[in-house]
Amino acid sequence: MEVLNPATERVIATVPAGGAADVDAAVAAARRSARAWATSTREERLALLTRLRDGLAGAQEEITATVVAELGAPVGFAAAVHAGLPLTVASSYLTLLAEHPFEERIGNSLVLAEPAGVIAAITPWNYPLHQIVAKVVPALAAGCPVVLKPAEDTPLVARLFARLVHEAGFPAGVFNLVTGTGAVAGAALAAHRDVDVVSFTGSTAVGRTVAETAGRGLKRVALELGGKSANVVLPGADLTRAVNVNVANVFANSGQTCSAWTRLLVHRDHYEEAVSMAAKAAEKYVPGDPTDPRTRIGPVVNAKQLARVRGYLEGAITEGARVVAGGPEPITELPAGFYVRPTVLADVTPDMTVAQEEVFGPVLVILPYRDEEHAAELANGTEYGLAGGVWAADTDTAAAFARRLDTGQVDLNGGRFNPLAPFGGYKSSGLGRELGRHGLEEFLQYKSLQY
Ligand code: NAD
């Protein structure tokens, strides 16, 4: 499979397109290593995972350069998030592994938390290393061997990760990588009868298929899927800050963030003010070369994604949305690359496609609400429930409103990301949780001994 740089449209590498036989070999290797790995001591696992964490720390520049090249993420963002966040998450699991109670007394039972078995990890391209680390590191910490099938567009950082696992000295078979397409390698892995848990991050459509297949095989399944998260600005909040943070949130990673606040909900009395603020803030995001440290927004990942985002923008205009920044017109200022104009849409109504479906591009829609009741109804009014934001005059007011939202994460007045807090979705945004203790528990199963 060819790997393209989305900023230059040039082929930068080729990787094997693994097939069912490769998946079989990888799962067999994982199975062979499973018992020894499951019975390794906490200290042995900690020592190896510490070496892996140190490997991630030592490879930060190489990781950054790889993600800039295969995803098109701006270099500053790539260094902080694509390289930095996986390091934070890997470090968090060293502490969690050191402290986790794998045995617990409940009445006359001793409850043992044992590894859940062979893990199939299937990951997308948008935060390619973070999504790998968020599955593989807790799975290994729990004592489970893993077979990873990374996204087609970003296999290079997955190969870099495989090298770091190898250099850390993990026993053979404990970690396995199969690059390949979703339809062939991904489907074979999700359906494999010797896999115990399928941990999938990607689109809701593919997630459903993976869950159906896993259901037939009675495998456990964890799904991190799409989102259409709302950022609700309540009267009395700092509107300027709420709008500026929202614009930055939605344009980060060219809008290719599952938890992005793609819908801004503002009281109708402040609506036009918020729309002008957002339009003004959007002007600062000029698409450019991701290797230039001044660039704030790079291309989207591939030609298909570019066409999809433009299609959503054209559809929104047809349905009556008002373009106040950006728009569907192609970018002619740059010589090559899959660039989209960072776009803000006003006069969006809740039934419009662009207010309901995940665009996965740098597109913010702004909707007015009448009162808090209406705001909650709009915020909850999509099939998704992954993340969200609430801004209010004080944290208590914001927290009271956040309790009404059907969503897995809510940031109050710009509260920052917590890598130890459970991350995952309500409704069609998924099943199960990643990160922190909850993420570790996804890879454990329980045995009770009564005496
Ligand atoms: P995708 O669903 O197309 O692909 C995800 C992974 O699944 C890839 O590795 C792909 O090869 C594989 N795959 C595709 N078809 C498959 C099949 N039939 N069987 C098994 N595996 C298959 O998604 P994408 O386009 O790579 O990623 C974007 C989507 O991921 C967005 O919808 C986004 O919201 C979602 N996402 C969710 C989270 C989260 O934590 N909730 C995080 C990141 C991305």
Side-chain angles (χ1 to χ4, degrees):
M1 296 190 305
E2 289 184 336
V3 184
L4 231 59
N5 178 322
T8 63
E9 301 178 43
R10 293 227 171 91
V11 176
I12 52 170
T14 56
V15 299
D22 301 293
V23 169
D24 267 347
V27 175
R31 180 55 68 196
R32 279 195 300 274
S33 76
R35 186 151 307 270
W37 186 242
T39 51
S40 62
T41 65
R42 186 197 300 257
E43 289 67 33
E44 285 165 342
R45 297 206 294 279
L46 257 178
L48 288 165
L49 287 164
T50 303
R51 283 217 283 277
L52 176 58
R53 191 271 315 268
D54 294 347
L56 286 167
Q60 289 285 291
E61 276 180 28
E62 196 185 348
I63 294 167
T64 303
T66 306
V67 180
V68 170
E70 65 183 351
L71 180 64
V75 63
F77 184 78
V81 178
H82 291 295
L85 180 58
L87 179 58
T88 305
V89 170
S91 301
S92 77
Y93 277 111
L94 298 180
T95 318
L96 282 157
L97 175 58
E99 293 170 353
H100 194 75
F102 288 97
E103 298 187 3
E104 184 192 0
R105 270 246 156 236
I106 300 179
N108 69 321
S109 302
L110 178 66
V111 179
L112 311 179
E114 298 193 331
V118 171
I119 312 299
I122 303 177
T123 55
W125 44 263
N126 59 332
Y127 287 86
L129 185 59
H130 167 65
Q131 287 139 348
I132 289 171
V133 166
K135 297 187 190 309
V136 175
V137 170
L140 295 178
C144 301
V146 183
V147 179
L148 167 67
K149 206 304 280 175
E152 291 86 329
D153 290 291
T154 54
L156 301 182
V157 77
R159 286 167 69 103
L160 199 170
F161 178 76
R163 192 192 82 209
L164 298 175
V165 174
H166 183 70
E167 287 169 1
F170 282 83
V174 161
F175 174 78
N176 309 273
L177 171 69
V178 181
T179 54
T181 65
V184 177
L189 183 58
H192 203 288
R193 59 183 157 68
D194 222 10
V195 161
D196 299 294
V197 179
V198 184
S199 178
F200 172 87
T201 299
S203 59
T204 295
V206 176
R208 266 185 228 287
T209 311
V210 166
E212 276 170 19
T213 310
R216 275 197 297 278
L218 285 183
K219 300 178 199 314
R220 255 163 76 181
V221 64
L223 304 171
E224 297 290 344
L225 308 174
K228 189 74 195 177
S229 299
N231 181 32
V232 184
V233 188
L234 296 176
D238 180 345
L239 184 66
T240 312
R241 203 165 152 246
V243 172
N244 282 304
V245 171
N246 198 148
V247 168
N249 171 298
V250 96
F251 292 165
N253 214 40
S254 295
Q256 303 164 126
T257 304
C258 49
S259 55
W261 301 338
T262 48
R263 296 182 297 143
L264 171 60
L265 309 190
V266 185
H267 190 277
R268 60 185 176 190
D269 291 351
H270 307 295
Y271 187 74
E272 282 309 326
E273 195 185 352
V275 167
S276 337
M277 278 178 186
K280 195 151 165 282
E283 282 169 17
K284 295 192 213 113
Y285 293 79
V286 181
D289 173 4
T291 62
D292 182 340
R294 289 165 305 181
T295 297
R296 292 175 116 181
I297 187 162
V300 295
V301 70
N302 56 33
K304 195 173 145 211
Q305 196 65 20
L306 174 64
R308 182 183 139 99
V309 177
R310 281 217 200 114
Y312 271 114
L313 294 178
E314 282 158 6
I317 295 167
T318 311
E319 287 185 68
R322 169 166 52 115
V323 177
V324 294
E329 295 74 24
I331 295 212
T332 47
E333 304 88 294
L334 293 161
F338 308 122
Y339 287 95
V340 182
R341 293 183 187 280
T343 299
V344 178
L345 299 175
D347 301 347
V348 171
T349 55
D351 54 323
M352 285 184 189
T353 311
V354 80
Q356 289 294 330
E357 294 185 13
E358 183 175 54
V359 175
F360 232 51
V363 179
L364 175 66
V365 305
I366 314 184
L367 294 99
Y369 66 80
R370 292 185 301 275
D371 51 29
E372 278 200 22
E373 194 57 40
H374 188 211
E377 185 191 313
L378 290 178
N380 291 332
T382 76
E383 69 163 310
Y384 295 111
L386 188 56
V390 180
W391 300 75
D394 57 75
T395 315
D396 287 348
T397 311
F401 187 82
R403 286 176 191 275
R404 303 171 65 177
L405 301 181
D406 304 328
T407 190
Q409 286 233 343
V410 189
D411 300 337
L412 311 182
N413 286 339
R416 68 181 198 292
F417 179 73
N418 176 2
L420 291 175
F423 182 92
Y426 281 30
K427 302 193 285 184
S428 299
S429 289
L431 292 175
R433 293 294 178 269
E434 289 195 321
L435 303 179
R437 174 171 62 77
H438 299 80
L440 181 64
E441 287 169 353
E442 292 285 333
F443 301 109
L444 294 170
Q445 61 186 341
Y446 299 92
K447 178 188 286 171
S448 307
L449 310 181
Q450 286 67 241
Y451 49 92

